[in-house]
């Protein structure tokens, strides 16, 4: 009898372990018939409720709560839609559907990529991390007097992180540091960054004066593992892919909450399962340490820091951790106004300008705040590219070139400002 009891107990323990292991393994909800809904908070209570939902991490916020009378976009899987509808209606928030079937858009984008797939880099399609790295290597090989490629680090999963320097005037010239892809799913960011580099290099004779006066330090995708994961496993992945020791198997941190300047003070989470998880410590993510070290190494040569995100069409400057403004905010605003004016003149795309907290929401641990507050870069900007929610993170590839064209005009304004202000 005792032997049988022992056998039964052993079986129950094994069963319990299997169940716990299953529960501890995060399951990716299906994107089929997932929807993106928009609500607009009109009261402080509604705004607070949306902030609490964001921190809980159950729903995927495509546009986070910014302030009263400002849209908030939330994606929910089909299974979670009833719960979301109930919690929103309970606070008097009336959702409008922006995207009816996220899964369908993802499938369309996948089919489009496969139909037009080419090993060569172009801007009619989105390209994965390996293709971007190979293209940068080719640029350096084809234009050794203009482009230098340097391995500056390795990602958590072992991918090479390169820094591309574009310029012909020598190492002592003032520079602009440009990065993209800090959030993995924001595909238009690396695409736009590489488009602008291509314009500079392929039209080098046109921009010879600029290239001889200003150096461009470029890292198109600074979250390589997360970015590649969006091509192979989960199109909506946002974070890095590091282990977090979460009992639920949750991976990665939000790399734009991971910088060591007012880290985790506001607008971030301490839960590894949250999309805005700040990490276990400042600079816990190796990829952000790599970028940090390059900014420090280049030091006073960097006059402008540009980090490209999507979406919302915003041109923002510090601070992100507080509504207070930098002492020199007017200088930052003036340059931003000039850059956005040039951008808008191309296709009529309108951008909002302001400090991060006052334009969107308070979020500490961002790269632009660190670049200015610790790195000493006077002109630090976060640029949120197209669009304003019709497609969100799933911007069609047909918009890569228009996005690149207009953003390049803004970059030229910034670069000419650097040339005229700092170049000798």
């Amino acid at each position: 009898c005792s032997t049988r009891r022992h056998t039964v107990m052993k079986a129950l323990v094994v069963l319990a372990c299997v169940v716990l292991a299953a529960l501890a393994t995060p399951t990716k909800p299906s994107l089929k018939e997932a929807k993106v809904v928009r609500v607009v908070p009109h009261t402080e209570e509604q705004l607070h409720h949306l902030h609490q939902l964001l921190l809980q991490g159950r729903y995927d916020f495509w546009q986070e709560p910014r302030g009263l009378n400002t849209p908030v976009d939330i994606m929910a899987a089909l299974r979670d839609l009833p719960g979301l509808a109930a919690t929103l209606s309970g606070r008097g928030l009336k959702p409008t559907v922006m995207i009816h079937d996220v899964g369908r858009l993802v499938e369309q984008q996948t089919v489009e990529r496969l139909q037009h797939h080419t090993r060569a880099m172009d801007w009619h399609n989105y390209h994965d991390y390996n293709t971007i790295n190979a293209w940068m290597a080719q640029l350096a090989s084809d234009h050794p007097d203009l482009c230098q490629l340097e391995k500056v680090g390795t990602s958590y999963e072992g991918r090479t992180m390169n820094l591309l320097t574009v310029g012909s005037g020598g190492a002592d010239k003032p520079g602009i540091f440009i990065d993209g892809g800090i959030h993995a799913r924001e595909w238009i960011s690396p695409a736009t960054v590489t488009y602008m580099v291509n314009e500079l290099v392929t039209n080098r004779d046109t921009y010879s004066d600029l290239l001889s006066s200003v150096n461009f330090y470029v890292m198109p995708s600074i979250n390589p593992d997360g970015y590649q994961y969006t091509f192979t496993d989960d199109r909506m992945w946002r974070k890095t892919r590091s282990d977090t020791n979460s009992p639920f198997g949750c991976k990665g941190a939000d790399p734009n909450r991971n910088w060591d300047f007012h880290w985790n003070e506001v607008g971030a989470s301490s839960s590894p399962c949250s999309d805005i998880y700040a990490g276990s410590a400042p600079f816990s993510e190796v990829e952000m340490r790599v970028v940090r070290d390059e900014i420090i190494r280049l030091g006073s040569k960097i006059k402008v820091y540009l980090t490209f995100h999507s979406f919302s069409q915003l041109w923002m400057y510090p601070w992100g951790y507080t509504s207070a403004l930098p002492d020199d905010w007017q200088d930052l605003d003036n340059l931003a106004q000039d850059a956005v004016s040039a951008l808008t003149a191309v296709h009529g795309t309108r951008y909002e300008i302001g400090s991060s907290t006052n334009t969107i929401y308070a979020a500490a641990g961002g790269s632009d705040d660190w670049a200015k507050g610790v790195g000493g870069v006077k002109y630090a900007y976060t640029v949120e590219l197209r669009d304003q929610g019709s497609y969100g993170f799933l911007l069609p590839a047909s918009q890569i070139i228009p996005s690149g064209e207009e953003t390049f005009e803004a970059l030229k304004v910034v670069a000419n400002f650097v040339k005229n202000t700092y170049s000798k």
Side-chain angles (χ1 to χ4, degrees), residues 155-269:
S155 72
Y156 181 83
E157 292 182 345
R159 293 182 173 86
T160 296
M161 297 182 68
N162 290 318
L163 174 72
L164 179 69
T165 301
V166 181
S168 60
D172 63 330
K173 294 299 180 182
I176 301 172
F177 194 100
I178 300 171
D179 70 46
I182 194 169
H183 288 140
R185 62 190 177 185
E186 298 170 8
W187 283 8
I188 191 60
S189 166
T192 297
V193 169
T194 53
Y195 176 93
M196 295 189 296
V197 170
N198 191 63
E199 286 297 297
L200 284 171
V201 174
T202 57
N203 300 293
R204 57 183 299 174
D205 292 341
T206 302
Y207 303 116
S208 59
D209 185 41
L210 201 56
L211 290 166
S212 64
S213 304
V214 178
N215 287 325
F216 298 83
Y217 303 102
V218 186
M219 299 183 74
S221 178
I222 61 171
N223 179 7
D225 301 340
Y227 183 65
Q228 192 62 28
Y229 191 73
T230 62
F231 282 81
T232 59
D233 289 80
D234 183 355
R235 177 64 183 85
M236 289 296 104
W237 188 259
R238 167 185 168 96
K239 301 189 290 180
T240 61
R241 292 293 301 162
S242 59
D243 286 331
T244 65
N245 296 318
S246 163
F248 302 106
C250 299
K251 281 184 171 287
D254 182 341
N256 205 41
R257 302 292 196 279
N258 193 235
W259 293 67
D260 193 9
F261 188 71
H262 295 271
W263 175 79
N264 207 20
E265 287 184 5
V266 63
S269 172

